[in-house]
Short mmCIF file of all heavy atoms in Angstrom, two decimals:
data_model
loop_
_atom_site.label_atom_id
_atom_site.label_comp_id
_atom_site.label_asym_id
_atom_site.label_seq_id
_atom_site.Cartn_x
_atom_site.Cartn_y
_atom_site.Cartn_z
N SER A 195 21.65 -15.46 4.77
CA SER A 195 20.74 -16.01 3.83
C SER A 195 19.61 -16.87 4.51
O SER A 195 19.81 -17.30 5.51
CB SER A 195 21.62 -16.90 2.82
OG SER A 195 22.00 -18.03 3.49
N ILE A 196 18.56 -17.06 3.72
CA ILE A 196 17.42 -17.93 4.15
C ILE A 196 16.86 -18.56 2.97
O ILE A 196 16.59 -17.88 1.84
CB ILE A 196 16.41 -17.05 4.96
CG1 ILE A 196 15.43 -17.92 5.60
CG2 ILE A 196 15.71 -16.04 4.08
CD1 ILE A 196 14.53 -17.17 6.63
N PRO A 197 16.54 -19.90 2.97
CA PRO A 197 15.97 -20.55 1.77
C PRO A 197 14.49 -20.19 1.66
O PRO A 197 13.78 -19.87 2.56
CB PRO A 197 16.15 -22.01 2.10
CG PRO A 197 16.10 -22.04 3.59
CD PRO A 197 16.75 -20.79 4.13
N LEU A 198 14.07 -20.19 0.41
CA LEU A 198 12.66 -20.09 0.12
C LEU A 198 11.94 -21.36 0.67
O LEU A 198 12.35 -22.52 0.42
CB LEU A 198 12.32 -20.20 -1.37
CG LEU A 198 10.93 -20.05 -1.88
CD1 LEU A 198 10.32 -18.65 -1.48
CD2 LEU A 198 10.77 -20.20 -3.36
N PHE A 224 18.69 -9.72 -2.23
CA PHE A 224 18.86 -10.51 -3.49
C PHE A 224 18.14 -11.72 -3.52
O PHE A 224 17.86 -12.37 -2.52
CB PHE A 224 20.51 -10.76 -3.58
CG PHE A 224 21.37 -9.48 -3.67
CD1 PHE A 224 21.81 -8.90 -2.55
CD2 PHE A 224 21.64 -9.01 -4.91
CE1 PHE A 224 22.61 -7.87 -2.56
CE2 PHE A 224 22.51 -7.95 -5.00
CZ PHE A 224 23.01 -7.29 -3.83
N GLY A 225 18.00 -12.20 -4.74
CA GLY A 225 17.54 -13.58 -4.97
C GLY A 225 18.60 -14.41 -5.77
O GLY A 225 19.05 -13.74 -6.68
N CYS A 226 18.85 -15.61 -5.34
CA CYS A 226 19.81 -16.39 -6.11
C CYS A 226 19.64 -17.93 -5.68
O CYS A 226 18.67 -18.20 -5.07
CB CYS A 226 21.30 -15.87 -5.81
SG CYS A 226 21.81 -16.07 -4.12
N ASN A 227 20.59 -18.64 -6.14
CA ASN A 227 20.49 -20.14 -5.99
C ASN A 227 21.57 -20.76 -5.06
O ASN A 227 21.50 -21.79 -4.63
CB ASN A 227 20.40 -20.89 -7.27
CG ASN A 227 19.13 -20.76 -8.04
OD1 ASN A 227 18.09 -20.86 -7.40
ND2 ASN A 227 19.20 -20.46 -9.29
N GLU A 228 22.64 -19.89 -4.81
CA GLU A 228 23.73 -20.35 -3.96
C GLU A 228 24.37 -19.28 -3.24
O GLU A 228 25.13 -18.46 -3.82
CB GLU A 228 24.71 -21.10 -4.82
CG GLU A 228 25.79 -21.89 -4.00
CD GLU A 228 26.77 -22.69 -4.79
OE1 GLU A 228 26.58 -22.66 -6.01
OE2 GLU A 228 27.60 -23.43 -4.20
N PRO A 229 24.13 -19.07 -1.94
CA PRO A 229 24.73 -18.08 -1.20
C PRO A 229 26.24 -18.26 -1.11
O PRO A 229 26.74 -19.34 -1.27
CB PRO A 229 24.10 -18.11 0.19
CG PRO A 229 22.78 -18.92 -0.12
CD PRO A 229 23.10 -19.75 -1.14
N SER A 230 27.01 -17.21 -0.79
CA SER A 230 28.44 -17.27 -0.78
C SER A 230 28.88 -18.01 0.51
O SER A 230 30.08 -18.48 0.57
CB SER A 230 28.99 -15.87 -0.77
OG SER A 230 28.93 -15.34 -2.05
N SER A 231 28.06 -18.19 1.53
CA SER A 231 28.40 -18.89 2.69
C SER A 231 27.26 -19.53 3.27
O SER A 231 26.10 -19.24 3.04
CB SER A 231 28.88 -17.77 3.80
OG SER A 231 29.28 -18.39 5.00
N TRP A 236 27.72 -13.47 7.43
CA TRP A 236 29.13 -13.49 7.12
C TRP A 236 29.39 -12.05 6.61
O TRP A 236 28.58 -11.26 6.28
CB TRP A 236 29.47 -14.50 6.03
CG TRP A 236 28.77 -14.31 4.77
CD1 TRP A 236 29.30 -13.65 3.60
CD2 TRP A 236 27.47 -14.79 4.37
NE1 TRP A 236 28.33 -13.63 2.66
CE2 TRP A 236 27.25 -14.42 2.96
CE3 TRP A 236 26.53 -15.60 4.94
CZ2 TRP A 236 26.12 -14.70 2.31
CZ3 TRP A 236 25.42 -15.85 4.31
CH2 TRP A 236 25.15 -15.51 2.88
N THR A 242 28.07 -12.08 -2.01
CA THR A 242 26.76 -12.41 -1.57
C THR A 242 26.27 -13.71 -2.13
O THR A 242 25.72 -14.50 -1.41
CB THR A 242 25.79 -11.25 -2.02
OG1 THR A 242 25.96 -11.01 -3.40
CG2 THR A 242 26.15 -9.88 -1.33
N CYS A 243 26.48 -14.04 -3.34
CA CYS A 243 26.07 -15.21 -4.00
C CYS A 243 27.18 -15.75 -4.88
O CYS A 243 27.97 -14.96 -5.50
CB CYS A 243 24.79 -15.05 -4.78
SG CYS A 243 23.37 -14.50 -3.87
N LYS A 244 27.25 -17.05 -5.07
CA LYS A 244 28.16 -17.73 -5.98
C LYS A 244 27.72 -17.73 -7.43
O LYS A 244 28.50 -17.73 -8.32
CB LYS A 244 28.49 -19.12 -5.45
CG LYS A 244 29.13 -19.23 -4.08
CD LYS A 244 29.39 -20.59 -3.72
CE LYS A 244 30.12 -20.73 -2.35
NZ LYS A 244 30.43 -22.06 -1.92
N ASP A 245 26.40 -17.55 -7.57
CA ASP A 245 25.89 -17.61 -8.88
C ASP A 245 25.30 -16.21 -9.22
O ASP A 245 25.43 -15.34 -8.44
CB ASP A 245 24.76 -18.73 -9.05
CG ASP A 245 23.63 -18.49 -8.22
OD1 ASP A 245 23.72 -17.81 -7.15
OD2 ASP A 245 22.51 -18.93 -8.53
N LYS A 246 24.54 -16.13 -10.28
CA LYS A 246 23.92 -14.88 -10.65
C LYS A 246 22.85 -14.50 -9.64
O LYS A 246 22.05 -15.23 -9.23
CB LYS A 246 23.26 -14.94 -12.02
CG LYS A 246 22.59 -13.66 -12.54
CD LYS A 246 22.03 -13.91 -13.93
CE LYS A 246 21.29 -12.56 -14.35
NZ LYS A 246 20.63 -12.79 -15.64
N SER A 247 22.87 -13.17 -9.28
CA SER A 247 21.90 -12.67 -8.21
C SER A 247 21.03 -11.63 -8.86
O SER A 247 21.53 -10.82 -9.74
CB SER A 247 22.66 -12.14 -7.02
OG SER A 247 23.49 -11.05 -7.44
N VAL A 270 9.70 -16.34 -7.66
CA VAL A 270 10.76 -17.07 -7.09
C VAL A 270 10.39 -18.52 -7.03
O VAL A 270 9.22 -18.89 -7.15
CB VAL A 270 11.00 -16.54 -5.67
CG1 VAL A 270 11.59 -15.11 -5.67
CG2 VAL A 270 9.71 -16.62 -4.81
N GLY A 271 11.44 -19.36 -6.72
CA GLY A 271 11.16 -20.87 -6.69
C GLY A 271 10.74 -21.42 -7.97
O GLY A 271 11.05 -20.86 -9.04
N THR A 274 12.69 -22.10 -12.35
CA THR A 274 13.63 -20.97 -12.91
C THR A 274 13.85 -19.80 -11.85
O THR A 274 14.73 -19.14 -12.02
CB THR A 274 12.96 -20.37 -14.16
OG1 THR A 274 11.60 -19.81 -13.79
CG2 THR A 274 12.79 -21.33 -15.23
N GLY A 275 12.96 -19.67 -10.82
CA GLY A 275 13.15 -18.74 -9.86
C GLY A 275 14.23 -18.94 -8.78
O GLY A 275 14.73 -20.12 -8.58
N SER A 276 14.56 -17.87 -8.08
CA SER A 276 15.48 -18.09 -7.01
C SER A 276 15.02 -18.87 -5.90
O SER A 276 13.84 -18.87 -5.53
CB SER A 276 15.97 -16.55 -6.50
OG SER A 276 16.42 -15.78 -7.53
N ARG A 277 15.91 -19.57 -5.22
CA ARG A 277 15.60 -20.50 -4.16
C ARG A 277 16.13 -20.01 -2.82
O ARG A 277 15.84 -20.62 -1.75
CB ARG A 277 16.12 -21.86 -4.39
CG ARG A 277 15.37 -22.51 -5.65
CD ARG A 277 15.82 -23.96 -5.79
NE ARG A 277 15.03 -24.53 -6.87
CZ ARG A 277 13.82 -25.09 -6.81
NH1 ARG A 277 13.25 -25.13 -5.63
NH2 ARG A 277 13.22 -25.54 -7.86
N TYR A 278 16.93 -18.91 -2.85
CA TYR A 278 17.37 -18.34 -1.62
C TYR A 278 17.22 -16.88 -1.65
O TYR A 278 17.34 -16.18 -2.74
CB TYR A 278 18.96 -18.59 -1.49
CG TYR A 278 19.25 -19.91 -0.70
CD1 TYR A 278 19.14 -21.11 -1.40
CD2 TYR A 278 19.65 -19.94 0.65
CE1 TYR A 278 19.49 -22.39 -0.79
CE2 TYR A 278 19.92 -21.09 1.16
CZ TYR A 278 19.86 -22.34 0.51
OH TYR A 278 20.01 -23.53 1.22
N PHE A 279 16.98 -16.37 -0.52
CA PHE A 279 17.13 -14.83 -0.33
C PHE A 279 18.39 -14.44 0.45
O PHE A 279 18.71 -15.14 1.43
CB PHE A 279 15.88 -14.32 0.41
CG PHE A 279 14.61 -14.47 -0.24
CD1 PHE A 279 13.74 -15.45 0.25
CD2 PHE A 279 14.27 -13.79 -1.30
CE1 PHE A 279 12.54 -15.64 -0.46
CE2 PHE A 279 13.07 -14.00 -1.95
CZ PHE A 279 12.22 -14.92 -1.47
N VAL A 280 19.19 -13.52 -0.02
CA VAL A 280 20.31 -13.01 0.68
C VAL A 280 20.17 -11.63 1.02
O VAL A 280 19.90 -10.79 0.07
CB VAL A 280 21.60 -13.26 -0.18
CG1 VAL A 280 22.85 -12.75 0.57
CG2 VAL A 280 21.82 -14.76 -0.47
N PHE A 931 17.34 -27.86 0.06
CA PHE A 931 17.19 -26.77 -0.90
C PHE A 931 18.39 -26.63 -1.72
O PHE A 931 19.57 -26.80 -1.30
CB PHE A 931 16.89 -25.47 -0.27
CG PHE A 931 15.67 -25.47 0.60
CD1 PHE A 931 15.75 -25.52 1.95
CD2 PHE A 931 14.43 -25.35 0.01
CE1 PHE A 931 14.52 -25.61 2.74
CE2 PHE A 931 13.31 -25.39 0.75
CZ PHE A 931 13.36 -25.51 2.09
N ASP A 932 18.33 -26.33 -2.94
CA ASP A 932 19.43 -25.91 -3.83
C ASP A 932 19.88 -24.54 -3.16
O ASP A 932 19.09 -23.62 -3.01
CB ASP A 932 18.98 -25.75 -5.26
CG ASP A 932 18.64 -27.04 -5.87
OD1 ASP A 932 19.16 -28.04 -5.40
OD2 ASP A 932 17.98 -27.00 -6.80
N ARG A 933 21.19 -24.45 -2.96
CA ARG A 933 21.66 -23.07 -2.30
C ARG A 933 21.58 -22.04 -3.37
O ARG A 933 21.98 -22.24 -4.53
CB ARG A 933 23.09 -23.40 -1.76
CG ARG A 933 23.10 -24.54 -0.78
CD ARG A 933 24.51 -24.80 -0.27
NE ARG A 933 24.95 -23.60 0.48
CZ ARG A 933 26.18 -23.30 0.70
NH1 ARG A 933 27.13 -24.14 0.29
NH2 ARG A 933 26.54 -22.26 1.36
N LEU A 934 21.35 -20.84 -2.89
CA LEU A 934 21.30 -19.65 -3.70
C LEU A 934 22.34 -18.67 -3.35
O LEU A 934 22.79 -18.74 -2.22
CB LEU A 934 19.96 -18.91 -3.55
CG LEU A 934 18.77 -19.73 -3.91
CD1 LEU A 934 17.48 -18.97 -3.74
CD2 LEU A 934 18.83 -19.99 -5.46
N SER A 935 22.84 -17.79 -4.25
CA SER A 935 23.76 -16.87 -3.85
C SER A 935 23.52 -15.53 -4.59
O SER A 935 22.94 -15.63 -5.60
CB SER A 935 25.12 -17.29 -4.09
OG SER A 935 25.42 -17.51 -5.46
N THR A 936 24.15 -14.55 -4.09
CA THR A 936 24.08 -13.22 -4.88
C THR A 936 25.47 -12.74 -5.01
O THR A 936 26.34 -12.96 -4.19
CB THR A 936 23.30 -12.18 -4.04
OG1 THR A 936 23.91 -12.02 -2.77
CG2 THR A 936 21.93 -12.61 -3.81
#
Side-chain angles (χ1 to χ4, degrees):
S195 67
I196 190 170
L198 181 68
F224 296 88
C226 62
N227 287 314
E228 189 175 4
S230 292
S231 174
W236 65 92
T242 52
C243 295
K244 293 181 180 179
D245 65 333
K246 181 181 178 182
S247 61
V270 294
T274 59
S276 300
R277 296 185 176 276
Y278 272 79
F279 297 106
V280 176
F931 300 102
D932 294 334
R933 302 180 64 200
L934 297 175
S935 68
T936 58

